[in-house]
Amino acid sequence: MIAALLAQTADQIPPGVVEQVARLKEQVETLSKLVSPEKAPLTRLEVFHGYVGVLVVAFLVSLFATPLMRRLAVAHGVIDRPSESRKIHRAPIAYLGGVAVYLGMLAAILFSYLNPVHGLINIHPSTRVDEAFIPGGVPLSIVVGMTVIMVVGLLDDVLHISPRVKVGGQLFAAAALAIDDVGVKVAAGVIVPLARALGLHVTTVNGAETLRFIVDLGNGTGIPIDIVYWTGTAVIAVFVLGACNASNLIDGLDGLLSGTTAIASAGLLVIALSLALADDGPRDASRIVLCLALLGACLGFLPHNFNPANIFLGDCGSLLLGFCTIVVVLMLGDMGKTHLVLAGLIIYAVPIIDTTLAIVRRKISGKKISDADDQHLHHMLRRALGVKGAVLVLYAMAAGFAGLGIALSEGRGRVTYAMALVFAAFIGVTSFKLARREQIERQAAEYDVGKA
């Protein structure tokens, strides 16, 4: 029977059969959608919901650990005494706030490690999961770096160790990142296109493009030199040293560093969520966890640290926040997307601008770079607006740069670069002009005396 029907030509098919077949096809498609409806694509908010437990854990641990650290600091005399005129507080304030922030971040990271047990984190779907480690787990090299940075800063808060020891700890943390390939491909977006433009041979290693040379040792043996890896390692060292000390320099007003870091981590989180939606690489979930741990720990500490503060971060906290922020920035370039690292640096622009101005200002004045002064951005704003006003203005600056960084990550390159340049130049020139006013007035007075 079926064979006979198939043998019929189109002219021999009874009237209405084609229409009935079409209607049956539509009904089958409708039923299939009801049985297994098509899933709408994920959004950044939905991915965030899956990881929000990390934020909550970091927030709660930091919030409740901070008063305990304050009691411990007071009991052992680990307090900041206002012995210098540039310090704004007049009563001794406890240190060790950075330990509370560290505990909050560590608890959140451990929470992510234990996800196979409690299942409270919904890891976003990905085809590029690193099977060598727990999905969503922050690389152990980052945890080691965090611990070393915090311990070195704590030793300085308590024992006032040599600056060389502090730098050594920061370089150790940077080396741990390089060994674990965290951020070492940050320079790939510049080196690989440049090598192609120069006609050099580009190779692929472990799925990533790189530039390699072989150092011939004779007898048919040689040592491969990965230019991208070693350049990235040098960049990591410079970034870690710069960010740790930049955050340390800007930590001069109640709630300033913890608040600006929270804003920066929120901006970095938006980029990390976008990369997760694009299935960028095996560390997409790790970036999200680290951003949320940093954001939650800062928010938990901020109520205790905002003006009037009853506890400070200390060096252990300021160095830690700088390290964690720059680690996220470096991880944005894990797949060789250097422009995302630039976006991260724009998000972190407030400490960078302040540190750059301090270096230039001290060089012009003939001072050492390590010499302290009261001409930082926050000092000048405080003299004009008070502590809270200055902090809120710097929060607004940080939010503005965070928005520019997010815009750059979305592909609005030229406009973002132009706006960031204008914004930074305006801040820089204005602050430098105000900082140099006293010296200019003194030189003018000396000139008038000389003429008289």
Side-chain angles (χ1 to χ4, degrees):
M1 180 68 178
I2 296 175
L5 288 173
L6 291 174
Q8 292 179 348
T9 62
D11 295 335
Q12 295 173 326
I13 296 176
V17 171
V18 175
E19 291 79 3
Q20 291 179 3
V21 170
R23 284 196 297 270
L24 286 172
K25 183 179 178 182
E26 292 176 359
Q27 292 174 1
V28 169
E29 291 177 351
T30 302
L31 289 173
S32 65
K33 290 180 180 179
L34 292 174
V35 173
S36 57
E38 296 181 2
K39 293 183 178 179
L42 285 174
T43 64
R44 283 185 292 213
L45 184 59
E46 290 172 335
V47 176
F48 170 75
H49 284 167
Y51 293 87
V52 72
V54 177
L55 173 69
V56 174
V57 170
F59 173 78
L60 292 177
V61 172
S62 178
L63 182 70
F64 290 109
T66 299
L68 299 178
M69 289 300 106
R70 181 178 178 277
R71 288 187 179 184
L72 186 64
V74 172
H76 292 83
V78 186
I79 56 178
D80 183 31
R81 296 174 176 84
S83 57
E84 300 177 23
S85 59
R86 64 189 179 87
K87 294 188 176 184
I88 64 167
H89 58 285
R90 293 292 172 259
I93 303 293
Y95 274 147
L96 301 188
V99 179
V101 173
Y102 170 79
L103 292 175
M105 293 193 65
L106 186 63
I109 292 171
L110 292 176
F111 178 74
S112 70
Y113 288 168
L114 295 174
N115 188 54
V117 178
H118 56 69
L120 296 177
I121 301 176
N122 296 325
I123 304 296
H124 72 281
S126 175
T127 60
R128 309 177 73 173
V129 177
D130 187 358
E131 299 295 340
F133 201 61
I134 303 170
V138 173
L140 287 175
S141 59
I142 296 178
V143 179
V144 170
M146 288 170 48
T147 304
V148 171
I149 292 289
M150 188 278 296
V151 170
V152 168
L154 180 61
L155 290 174
D156 188 52
D157 290 333
V158 178
L159 303 175
H160 305 291
I161 60 176
S162 167
R164 293 182 179 180
V165 177
K166 293 166 64 177
V167 171
Q170 294 165 31
L171 290 176
F172 181 90
L177 298 178
I179 292 172
D180 202 18
D181 286 348
V182 176
V184 294
K185 297 182 180 66
V186 64
V190 175
I191 292 177
V192 172
L194 182 61
R196 284 204 176 96
L198 296 175
L200 301 176
H201 177 63
V202 175
T203 60
T204 301
V205 179
N206 296 327
E209 292 183 323
T210 187
L211 181 65
R212 301 184 79 184
F213 292 105
I214 305 296
V215 178
D216 189 7
L217 299 178
N219 300 322
T221 60
I223 300 177
I225 304 295
D226 191 325
I227 302 300
V228 170
Y229 176 85
W230 288 109
T231 304
T233 300
V235 170
I236 290 172
V238 173
F239 275 26
V240 168
L241 287 173
C244 288
N245 290 283
S247 289
N248 191 26
L249 284 175
I250 204 174
D251 186 26
L253 294 180
D254 298 350
L256 177 55
L257 178 59
S258 51
T260 53
T261 302
I263 294 169
S265 60
L268 294 170
L269 175 63
V270 174
I271 300 178
L273 292 172
S274 299
L275 291 176
L277 292 179
D279 201 7
D280 180 68
R283 285 175 173 162
D284 289 347
S286 302
R287 275 190 295 261
I288 296 174
V289 169
L290 189 57
C291 284
L292 288 172
L294 180 59
L295 176 59
C298 288
L299 291 178
F301 177 72
L302 189 57
H304 304 281
N305 185 231
F306 197 77
N307 184 260
N310 61 16
I311 188 170
F312 288 159
L313 283 166
D315 275 10
C316 65
S318 60
L319 297 178
L320 175 66
L321 293 188
F323 175 77
C324 293
T325 305
I326 207 63
V327 165
V328 178
V329 172
L330 288 167
M331 289 179 74
L332 296 178
D334 264 341
M335 302 305 293
K337 296 178 179 177
T338 306
H339 72 283
L340 293 182
V341 178
L342 295 176
L345 291 176
I346 289 175
I347 290 174
Y348 186 62
V350 170
I352 293 175
I353 293 172
D354 184 61
T355 302
T356 303
L357 290 172
I359 293 172
V360 173
R361 185 174 63 247
R362 292 167 189 175
K363 279 292 183 181
I364 292 177
S365 301
K367 299 180 180 178
K368 296 180 181 179
I369 295 177
S370 57
D371 289 343
D373 60 27
D374 61 351
Q375 299 298 325
H376 289 277
L377 287 174
H378 53 274
H379 289 133
M380 290 183 285
L381 288 171
R382 177 183 65 84
R383 288 192 284 268
L385 304 172
V387 175
K388 289 182 179 178
V391 169
L392 293 176
V393 167
L394 287 166
Y395 284 178
M397 289 184 187
F401 279 115
L404 290 175
I406 294 170
L408 176 58
S409 71
E410 297 290 340
R412 297 169 177 82
R414 296 181 181 179
V415 174
T416 303
Y417 287 132
M419 292 180 65
L421 177 62
V422 172
F423 197 10
F426 184 83
I427 294 171
V429 171
T430 303
S431 60
F432 193 80
K433 178 180 64 177
L434 293 175
R436 298 281 292 171
R437 179 192 295 173
E438 182 179 347
Q439 183 177 354
I440 293 172
E441 291 176 350
R442 184 175 65 253
Q443 290 174 345
E446 291 174 354
Y447 176 77
D448 291 339
V449 171
K451 286 188 68 175

